[in-house]
Amino acid sequence: MDTCGVGCFALGDAGPVGNRTVVDSPGQEVLNQLDVKTTSETTRTEASIEMSLPTPLSGFEDSLDEKKFLPDPESLSRLEQQDLSPEMSKPRASKPGRKRGGRTRKGPKGPQQPNPPAAPLVPGHLEQANPLSTPMPKKRGRKPKAELLLLKLSKGLDQPESPPPKRPPEDFETPPGERPRRRAAQVALLYLQELAEELSTALPAPVSCPESPKVSSPTKPKKTGQLSACQGGEEEADAAQDEDFVLKVEAEDGEESEAPSESSSEPEPVVPRSIPRGSTSGKQKPHCRGMAPNGLPNHVMAPVWKCLHLTKDLREQKHSYWEFAEWIPVAWKWHLLSELEAAPYLPQEEKSPLFSVQREGLPEDGTLYRINRFSSITAHPERWDVSFFTGGPVWALDWCPVPEGATASQYVALFSSPDMNETHSLSQLHSGPGLLQLWDLGTLQHESCPGNRAHFVYGIASDHGCVWDLKFCPSGAWELPGTPRQAPLLPRLGLLALACSDGKVLLFSLPHPEALLAHQPPDAVKPSIYKVQSVATLQVGSMQLSDPSECGQCLSLAWMPTRPHYHLAAGYYNGMVVFWNLLTNSPLQRIQLSDGSMKVYPFHCFLAHDQAVRSLQWCKANSHFIVSAGSDRKIKFWDLRRTYEPINSIKRFLSTELAWLPSYNGVTVAQDNCYASYGLCGIHYIDAGYLGYKAYFTAPRKGTVWSLSGSDWLGTIAAGDTSGELIAAILPDMALNPITVKRPVERRFPIYKADLMPYQDRPEGQDHSSASSGALNPPKARTYAETVNHHYLLFQDTDLSSFHGLLHREPMLRMQEGEVHSRLCLDRLPLEAIHKVRFSPNLDSYGWLISGGQSGLVRIHFIRGLTSPLGHRMQLESQAHFHAMFQPSSPTEGSGFCPTSHFLLPSP
């Protein structure tokens, strides 16, 4: 017998109570009458089914073992008119896991006993009557719903009131004839409510742009005709009760759901959902619907506004104002080289290749530029982009960190190869002359165009070969340019670490250019090239055995991101990851040399990969965790407290660089396309393994992605590849499963595209367009000289001041076309290739991006569209805090005071 009371027995005709007898099966006349009466009622019942469950009627709580009999025909007619019609309008709730119209699964039948002789029954003995044990013939298929309801109603008539049965606990419900069953729906609802409350309290409140339009109070939209007819009063009451809960749940994943435009007039399609749509269809999702003032959807910009708060709070906790007080630049150690002495260290190319810049939305002037070595062109008055020439291919690049609120000049350190055609073998150590360059970019503001050109301030001559990576100390190494120092000490600009091809890691303490150049003679040769001894040389091995050839070249560096920044990690060609303690006093790890510098040996190392370690990234929120990418196609997450095995190891493709943003539990990976499957080459976000999410495909790329950089302030990554295209992509909130992210194309946009265009020797009056179409099939040059003789570079810049109509603009269409149909020319020199990309880590210039590549041209762009009034307010607050921390100097005070005691209040 199923829970709905499907008949297993029937009753005879009604007569006197003393003459009622129980029969085995109903007569054919009774069944015919029931079928005729209920045919029309069943039709009306199925046509008026609603989404709410029927309420239990009185008498249904009794056990099925109690016998109830059909009433007389007059009682049946009254019941049909009173109780049956309202009950018919409510649908029968189907059990989960059972299809409508299917059969009920029955268990094995127990042993049957012989039928007792029929005996007359009296009202006082109805409850003591024996149950019917005669096996009843069962109909194939379900009986009509009206007949089932009649049988239910018949069991509650002509019976004395029985004592109420024992009720199970409130968390359980007991269907008739079955074991107690937990109210799973209510328990799940309470669990989701608690989970939503925890998430809403754990995460900071989402920040909306002050200029964004206000969302009006939510109103319930009109339903379609079918839904309006089916909706009842009970459903509206339930929706009103669950309204707040559903809004909290959808507010968490609302930024990932694609919301239609507010101006769209198309009706929203009806989609089946686990939660009734009527409870949330009229609610506006906060900060998810509508468009931001920059033209991007609000659900795309919400993670950007969130990252501003998170990064600000994290740096207040993890960064410091002053570290490594013993490493102060000394003026007499900086030896200025003469022109003859500096010549071997200078890049060979004295002039840049010809290039032209086309800016979206501005008329093309067709001007071809050629600039000298260590020179730049003025920033464009409308787009603010800057370009300068370093003299050789750029393979290492980094910004100098500046404290939040210090409105000072921004500096960039870079290394360019001396020769445009130079190649290196990674399997062998290499040494030779090279030049480390320091460039002053001026004060990069968000409100005005840079007034000064980028200029080369000084260079450092090095004999340690190629520099594959360089990193500044994250904080605590910068001080004010006007800091008074007792001679020969100089105010410090920053601490810089170099990963060299001879297997060594060099640490330089860089002085402020104003203080260093003040010690030059008036007739000094420009540019200023210095020879200086590093403050520390980091080597592998130990005091007894120090052989750099065992590990090979040093290819990657990672500085400990949390104060006091005394650990430095390096990845080597043989797969080793090495750690040095810069503040160690152990005589086995630190040796002081006669020239004042020191040699440091590692305190820990382990074999992380089977081949070269190409990239290292430290977790900025917790310094116990680090991630490495190797040429063995593996990405490994490590806990430095137990390095005998990785936390997670992923083998996907050949990774070139990693970016680990502070607000994400995973890394963004750039890849070489040599091992990638068709259609999967590009940039991926990979979870560290804690949340267990699948990889998120951030952006497809056709060529090898050489460099990747992430902005902590914007939650955005930028990537440059061998095809000469620089793109940026806004990452979604990865606290949610990225599988719910819709339309990722709205999150990425091009910054510029560099193309190698052929040209012919043309007369003076020939225009730019005819030159670009002169040679259709130019010779495929393999050297720099052949390439620049027949080609020039064309930079096509995107208007980054606004993103209105981005999907239909020409740069966006060109980028999407290149992602599918671009062709790579592997048999020529890729002069347009981009090797290094870096976002500014400083709050004062958080929207600026620098990139350089094979041509030796370095370009700086300002992504104005991603800045917001929130960031400007943070800048003002940080400036006020910085000026309160740094007290003004007095000329009467002695010049020998340390900045930790004279200029800085105690750091928080």
Side-chain angles (χ1 to χ4, degrees):
M1 181 184 302
D2 63 1
T3 59
C4 294
V6 177
C8 296
F9 63 92
L11 302 176
D13 296 336
V17 177
N19 297 331
R20 287 187 185 176
T21 58
V22 179
V23 297
D24 291 344
S25 61
Q28 188 64 30
E29 307 86 7
V30 178
L31 292 178
N32 291 340
Q33 288 178 358
L34 292 175
D35 290 339
V36 171
K37 290 181 181 179
T38 58
T39 300
S40 60
E41 297 173 352
T42 304
T43 305
R44 292 194 303 269
T45 302
E46 296 177 351
S48 61
I49 293 179
E50 296 178 357
M51 301 304 296
S52 59
L53 298 177
T55 57
L57 299 178
S58 59
F60 279 24
E61 307 87 35
D62 297 339
S63 174
L64 286 179
D65 295 337
E66 298 172 0
K67 302 300 170 292
K68 302 174 179 63
F69 300 96
L70 285 173
D72 54 83
E74 295 181 0
S75 301
L76 278 176
S77 60
R78 289 194 303 269
L79 282 174
E80 291 173 359
Q81 296 176 3
Q82 298 176 4
D83 297 335
L84 186 58
S85 53
E87 188 67 22
M88 286 296 185
S89 62
K90 297 184 179 181
R92 184 180 304 275
S94 59
K95 285 187 177 182
R98 187 180 70 183
K99 297 182 179 179
R100 186 180 297 274
R103 293 186 179 181
T104 304
R105 181 178 299 177
K106 299 180 179 297
K109 297 182 180 180
Q112 298 180 356
Q113 299 179 0
N115 297 335
L121 300 176
V122 295
H125 295 81
L126 285 177
E127 308 227 354
Q128 288 80 11
N130 293 329
L132 298 176
S133 58
T134 303
M136 306 305 299
K138 298 178 178 54
K139 297 177 63 177
R140 294 195 179 270
R142 296 184 62 180
K143 288 188 177 183
K145 297 179 180 180
E147 181 179 348
L148 300 179
L149 292 175
L150 282 174
L151 291 175
K152 281 185 174 183
L153 293 173
S154 64
K155 295 191 292 184
L157 301 178
D158 298 335
Q159 293 191 34
E161 294 183 0
S162 58
K166 287 186 177 181
R167 298 294 298 170
E170 293 183 357
D171 290 346
F172 293 83
E173 61 180 0
T174 307
E178 291 189 358
R179 62 181 178 83
R181 183 177 59 192
R182 190 173 186 84
R183 298 175 181 174
Q186 294 183 4
V187 174
L189 188 64
L190 293 175
Y191 171 73
L192 290 177
Q193 285 178 343
E194 296 175 357
L195 184 62
E197 292 176 358
E198 292 178 1
L199 290 176
S200 61
T201 54
L203 297 177
V207 181
S208 59
C209 183
E211 297 179 4
S212 58
K214 295 182 179 179
V215 181
S216 59
S217 59
T219 56
K220 212 160 250 224
K222 294 183 178 180
K223 301 283 183 179
T224 57
Q226 183 178 359
L227 290 178
S228 300
C230 296
Q231 197 150 21
E234 275 190 8
E235 183 180 354
E236 293 179 358
D238 295 341
Q241 294 176 0
D242 297 340
E243 209 168 60
D244 296 335
F245 162 70
V246 178
L247 177 61
K248 289 180 181 178
V249 174
E250 292 199 359
E252 296 295 332
D253 61 349
E255 63 186 31
E256 308 306 333
S257 60
E258 181 186 2
S261 174
E262 293 180 350
S263 60
S264 176
S265 59
E266 298 180 0
E268 189 176 356
V270 179
V271 183
R273 303 180 60 173
S274 58
I275 300 177
R277 194 170 184 82
S279 60
T280 59
S281 60
K283 288 289 182 182
Q284 292 284 347
K285 300 175 183 178
H287 315 295
C288 298
R289 297 186 181 274
M291 306 297 290
N294 61 356
L296 292 176
N298 275 331
H299 70 271
V300 174
M301 288 298 298
V304 177
W305 302 327
K306 177 181 175 182
C307 285
L308 287 170
H309 282 289
L310 291 177
T311 304
K312 184 69 166 56
D313 297 339
L314 182 66
R315 294 199 175 186
E316 289 177 354
Q317 301 172 8
K318 305 295 184 179
H319 280 195
S320 173
Y321 281 108
W322 189 249
E323 298 292 343
F324 305 103
E326 67 275 13
W327 288 342
I328 305 298
V330 182
W332 59 267
K333 291 185 178 182
W334 289 75
H335 174 60
L336 180 64
L337 300 181
S338 63
E339 185 176 0
L340 185 60
E341 293 173 336
Y345 300 97
L346 298 179
Q348 296 180 1
E349 297 299 326
E350 296 184 358
K351 291 187 179 295
S352 71
L354 286 173
F355 67 95
S356 178
V357 181
Q358 293 181 2
R359 298 174 178 87
E360 180 194 7
L362 298 181
E364 301 179 9
D365 54 1
T367 304
L368 290 177
Y369 299 91
R370 188 192 296 272
I371 56 180
N372 297 327
R373 182 179 58 194
F374 306 143
S375 300
S376 64
I377 59 176
T378 309
H380 193 270
E382 295 186 26
R383 301 296 168 80
W384 305 358
D385 58 281
V386 181
S387 301
F388 59 88
F389 182 56
T390 62
V394 178
W395 284 103
L397 180 70
D398 199 19
W399 293 76
C400 178
V402 177
E404 284 77 21
T407 54
S409 295
Q410 305 291 321
Y411 292 91
V412 169
L414 59 90
F415 178 86
S416 60
S417 299
D419 189 5
M420 286 285 188
N421 301 314
E422 186 177 11
T423 57
H424 300 284
S425 174
L426 294 180
S427 60
Q428 299 177 357
L429 297 180
H430 167 72
S431 60
L435 182 66
L436 177 68
Q437 305 178 24
L438 185 68
W439 288 77
D440 182 6
L441 307 181
T443 305
L444 301 179
Q445 300 293 335
H446 293 175
E447 296 82 14
S448 60
C449 177
N452 301 327
R453 295 185 179 184
H455 61 281
F456 176 85
V457 289
Y458 62 80
I460 299 177
S462 172
D463 294 310
H464 298 273
C466 182
V467 176
W468 293 118
D469 196 8
L470 56 88
K471 293 291 175 61
F472 275 96
C473 180
S475 70
W478 185 94
E479 59 181 342
L480 287 170
T483 303
R485 288 285 184 183
Q486 184 176 3
L489 300 180
L490 302 174
R492 190 173 64 186
L493 176 68
L495 289 175
L496 181 63
L498 308 180
C500 302
S501 59
D502 63 349
K504 297 180 181 179
V505 177
L506 305 178
L507 284 181
F508 290 96
S509 179
L510 303 182
H512 275 280
E514 299 88 348
L516 180 62
L517 299 179
H519 290 75
Q520 286 186 356
D523 56 346
V525 180
K526 301 294 183 179
S528 302
I529 308 298
Y530 289 88
K531 188 75 173 179
V532 62
Q533 179 66 37
S534 61
V535 296
T537 301
L538 313 183
Q539 292 185 202
V540 295
S542 61
M543 295 177 59
Q544 289 78 14
L545 181 61
S546 177
D547 186 9
S549 61
E550 294 183 358
C551 294
Q553 299 187 25
C554 184
L555 303 178
S556 56
L557 287 176
W559 209 306
M560 182 177 175
T562 59
R563 61 184 180 193
H565 312 293
Y566 57 89
H567 286 168
L568 186 67
Y572 281 84
Y573 173 76
N574 68 339
M576 294 291 294
V577 174
V578 183
F579 295 88
W580 293 276
N581 185 356
L582 303 179
L583 300 180
T584 180
N585 293 321
S586 171
L588 300 178
Q589 299 178 11
R590 179 172 178 170
I591 302 176
Q592 196 74 28
L593 302 180
S594 59
D595 58 357
S597 64
M598 66 179 184
K599 185 179 293 185
V600 182
Y601 293 100
F603 73 93
H604 181 63
C605 59
F606 63 93
L607 186 64
H609 293 271
D610 298 332
Q611 298 181 26
V613 180
R614 301 182 64 125
S615 183
L616 280 174
Q617 282 291 324
W618 225 303
C619 178
K620 298 176 183 178
N622 191 332
S623 58
H624 290 305
F625 301 99
I626 197 171
V627 60
S628 61
S631 296
D632 55 357
R633 299 168 54 190
K634 291 183 180 179
I635 301 172
K636 297 183 179 181
F637 295 87
W638 301 92
D639 186 347
L640 298 181
R641 294 164 293 188
R642 49 180 192 91
T643 55
Y644 52 86
E645 64 175 356
I647 300 175
N648 194 11
S649 179
I650 303 168
K651 185 174 182 180
R652 293 178 61 89
F653 33 66
L654 185 60
S655 304
T656 55
E657 196 166 8
L658 305 172
W660 196 340
L661 301 184
S663 56
Y664 294 91
N665 189 48
V667 295
T668 310
V669 185
Q671 70 178 59
D672 196 330
N673 61 350
C674 58
Y675 294 111
S677 304
Y678 178 76
L680 292 180
C681 178
I683 307 167
H684 293 75
Y685 173 84
I686 298 179
D687 184 74
Y690 178 74
L691 298 177
Y693 294 154
K694 294 184 178 180
Y696 169 66
F697 197 17
T698 306
R701 298 283 85 197
K702 279 294 184 182
T704 297
V705 183
W706 283 116
S707 181
L708 184 74
S709 177
S711 173
D712 298 345
W713 300 100
L714 298 175
T716 303
I717 56 100
D721 55 25
T722 187
S723 65
E725 188 167 21
L726 177 62
I727 69 166
I730 304 173
L731 294 179
D733 187 359
M734 291 301 178
L736 305 171
N737 196 335
I739 199 173
T740 62
V741 177
K742 301 178 181 178
R743 295 184 61 83
V745 69
E746 294 181 350
R747 298 180 175 272
R748 62 178 183 268
F749 52 89
I751 297 176
Y752 72 84
K753 176 70 169 69
D755 291 315
L756 194 62
M757 307 296 294
Y759 74 96
Q760 292 177 336
D761 295 335
R762 64 186 191 277
E764 214 44 54
Q766 188 174 0
D767 61 353
H768 170 71
S769 59
S770 61
S772 62
S773 60
L776 297 179
N777 296 313
K780 295 180 179 179
R782 297 180 182 270
T783 63
Y784 175 78
E786 295 176 353
T787 303
V788 298
N789 288 336
H790 300 280
H791 300 80
Y792 72 96
L793 287 172
L794 176 62
F795 296 102
Q796 304 176 62
D797 290 7
T798 306
D799 183 7
L800 301 175
S801 61
S802 175
F803 298 105
H804 290 280
L806 178 65
L807 297 179
H808 306 288
R809 285 157 57 174
E810 193 273 335
M812 191 71 176
L813 298 177
R814 182 183 65 242
M815 183 193 72
Q816 296 178 10
E817 180 71 17
E819 292 173 350
V820 181
H821 301 294
S822 65
R823 298 177 59 186
L824 300 178
C825 298
L826 303 179
D827 54 349
R828 65 169 177 84
L829 179 69
L831 191 63
E832 72 276 18
I834 301 174
H835 293 161
K836 278 298 172 182
V837 179
R838 287 294 179 266
F839 265 109
S840 173
N842 304 320
L843 177 60
D844 292 334
S845 58
Y846 72 91
W848 291 84
L849 177 70
I850 189 169
S851 60
Q854 178 66 34
S855 64
L857 289 169
V858 177
R859 307 196 67 209
I860 309 171
H861 291 81
F862 178 43
I863 310 180
R864 198 184 317 173
L866 292 184
T867 60
S868 63
L870 174 63
H872 180 64
R873 186 171 68 247
M874 283 188 175
Q875 289 178 347
L876 298 179
E877 294 174 355
S878 299
Q879 291 173 10
H881 180 71
F882 181 82
H883 291 303
M885 292 288 295
F886 285 82
Q887 301 174 1
S889 61
S890 174
T892 60
E893 294 176 347
S895 58
F897 288 98
C898 175
T900 54
S901 60
H902 178 62
F903 275 93
L904 284 177
L905 299 176
S907 58

